[in-house]
Amino acid sequence: MSQFWSDQVRQLRPYVPGEQLNADQLIKLNTNENPYGPSPKALAAIRDAADERLRLYPSYDALALRQAIAELHQLSPEHVFVGNGSDEVLAHIFSGLFLRGGRPLLLPDISYSFYYTYCQYYQVPAEVVPLDEDFTLRVADYTQTREQPPAGIIFANPNAPTSLLLELDQIQQILRANPDTVVVVDEAYIDFGGKSASCLVAEHPNLVVVQTVSKSYALAGLRVGFALAQPELIQGLERIKDSFNSYPLDRLALAGATAAIQDQAYLHECIQKILESRIRLTEALSRLGFKVLPSSTNFVFATHPEHDAAQLQQALRAQNILIRHFSQPRIQDYLRITVGTPEQCDQLIQALTALLNP
Ligand SMILES: *Cc1c(COP(=O)(O)O)cnc(C)c1O
């Protein structure tokens, strides 16, 4: 605490990311990175972009990248906003769309913790809606008529850390019941098991879909995320961007992300391998007595009736295996485990077997 800190800095409770240790031989299953690495075409594009042109500012409107994203989702570039990771895109959504006359933002009690951090940072009044007992989102909680419509609704689909998927028709019910409310669907994990709500953008002026290249495209280090919505909504986000940092994506990121998105064959190859690993990991954990929620993501959310989750996480950490535990009400008995390569999953299962049967 410094005397020079602003009043705002004193009050912040920053997001706490999963550990990024640099030990050799680390089995890193704690931040949902993709073990297979980015598309070779993306790496080649980044290398090709690393030349003397770096003295120039990057593209101001990121048109080539927005074009590639638009093509993939059968929209036009006017429907696409890009940012420095989807975290930045989400930040601009919070300040650009959720601050409306003190109306609340509805969000689940168990979700991506950056939402609560941004509520505090941007002073967005939050109305936290508990998920059902089994961690499913109750659509009815979001479709009741209220005295004052909420300014926004945000949830991750599939949700993190629960890994559970909401079907598109349920999202559509929420969109229809809330015509005066922006509904943001954070699809960081959608490529691992669901159909994107991007096909609803043309029909619903209150929908924003957010995606990232950090997880399925294995480019967490590049920092590229994007939002899909109708053009007027996108223009609002652009106003925020141009009041904050008008070049959020550098030349290397633009080149790499564009090439990655154009290489759908590589994406689907990786996803296939991860889905196979997910089945094996789920079966192995179940054999050890874990209850594993049905995952639509590249991680599983699991609990053991006889073993303390925090202790298991610590014991694994001592063996250089990182997984995630959240000391948070309702989920403190759960572990979130990223689906790694088959070898990484085997090593995790071996270590857990030894811990559970000493
Ligand atoms: C990982 C993640 C993000 C952040 O992605 P970046 O693009 O790396 O900033 C956003 N939302 C959810 C739910 C995530 O799990």
Side-chain angles (χ1 to χ4, degrees):
M1 184 85 79
S2 154
Q3 59 169 318
F4 302 113
W5 283 9
S6 71
D7 297 344
Q8 189 189 21
V9 169
R10 283 167 193 278
Q11 285 163 17
L12 291 179
R13 273 173 282 128
Y15 173 75
V16 184
E19 252 181 323
Q20 302 288 355
L21 285 182
N22 279 325
D24 281 344
Q25 315 232 305
L26 200 62
I27 301 183
K28 196 170 174 311
L29 305 175
N30 66 331
T31 51
N32 301 340
E33 287 137 332
N34 180 328
Y36 293 111
S39 153
K41 290 180 184 163
L43 295 178
I46 294 167
R47 275 186 219 105
D48 288 347
D51 62 19
E52 67 84 32
R53 286 170 300 174
L54 281 173
R55 73 190 174 77
L56 300 169
Y57 278 98
S59 163
Y60 165 79
D61 60 9
L63 189 60
L65 173 60
R66 287 167 53 226
Q67 186 84 50
I69 294 167
E71 257 170 52
L72 181 63
H73 291 277
Q74 296 172 306
L75 294 165
S76 68
E78 292 69 44
H79 293 95
V80 184
F81 176 79
V82 294
N84 193 267
S86 58
D87 287 338
E88 186 187 73
V89 173
L90 289 166
H92 291 341
I93 288 171
F94 271 69
S95 69
L97 307 176
F98 290 161
L99 283 168
R100 294 174 64 202
R103 287 160 55 187
L105 171 70
L106 304 194
L107 74 173
D109 61 338
I110 298 162
S111 197
Y112 183 45
S113 54
F114 234 124
Y115 306 152
Y116 317 100
T117 302
Y118 284 145
C119 280
Q120 201 210 13
Y121 185 77
Y122 290 109
Q123 308 267 294
V124 169
E127 187 179 321
V128 175
V129 184
L131 294 174
D132 214 339
E133 204 92 322
D134 61 359
F135 298 137
T136 52
L137 184 146
R138 278 186 304 245
V139 171
D141 290 343
Y142 295 85
T143 56
Q144 299 156 1
T145 7
R146 292 161 186 266
E147 235 167 82
Q148 195 189 32
I153 293 173
I154 188 167
F155 53 86
N157 192 48
N159 195 15
T162 66
S163 79
L164 301 179
L165 180 77
L166 202 63
E167 297 297 335
L168 276 192
D169 64 311
Q170 297 178 291
I171 292 174
Q172 217 160 2
Q173 285 173 40
I174 295 174
L175 287 164
R176 289 211 186 96
N178 292 278
D180 300 317
T181 298
V182 176
V183 178
V184 178
V185 185
D186 179 352
E187 295 188 334
Y189 301 101
I190 195 72
D191 294 332
F192 299 107
K195 183 161 163 36
S196 172
S198 63
C199 61
L200 303 176
V201 162
E203 216 183 310
H204 294 278
N206 55 335
L207 170 63
V208 183
V209 175
V210 178
Q211 290 195 5
T212 176
V213 302
S214 295
K215 312 285 167 49
S216 55
Y217 289 92
L219 283 168
L222 205 62
R223 312 307 304 132
V224 177
F226 56 91
L228 305 168
Q230 292 195 5
E232 283 185 1
L233 237 153
I234 295 295
Q235 285 157 25
L237 296 177
E238 281 166 355
R239 288 170 71 109
I240 299 277
K241 172 196 102 135
D242 291 329
S243 308
F244 183 79
N245 174 9
S246 48
Y247 297 105
L249 297 193
D250 60 69
R251 286 175 168 269
L252 307 185
L254 288 170
T258 306
I261 283 171
Q262 287 168 339
D263 193 356
Q264 289 293 304
Y266 179 83
L267 172 77
H268 289 294
E269 226 175 273
C270 284
I271 290 173
Q272 203 45 47
K273 286 192 269 190
I274 289 168
L275 297 190
E276 282 162 22
S277 253
R278 184 173 80 196
I279 294 172
R280 286 191 34 183
L281 177 63
T282 304
E283 286 171 355
L285 288 169
S286 306
R287 278 198 294 275
L288 287 175
F290 282 91
K291 181 187 142 202
V292 186
L293 300 197
S295 170
S296 294
T297 60
N298 68 333
F299 59 87
V300 295
F301 202 49
T303 182
H304 199 290
E306 288 143 33
H307 292 270
D308 183 83
Q311 277 174 12
L312 285 178
Q313 188 242 351
Q314 282 302 314
L316 288 171
R317 190 176 180 282
Q319 303 178 37
N320 277 338
I321 302 178
L322 300 188
I323 61 173
R324 195 90 197 259
H325 172 258
F326 300 89
S327 327
Q328 188 188 326
R330 296 189 72 190
I331 57 168
Q332 67 273 54
D333 296 334
Y334 282 79
L335 294 167
R336 194 194 69 187
I337 305 169
T338 305
V339 178
T341 61
E343 297 73 34
Q344 290 175 321
C345 294
D346 287 349
Q347 280 171 291
L348 168 78
I349 291 298
Q350 257 178 31
L352 276 174
T353 308
L355 286 170
L356 299 191
N357 311 293

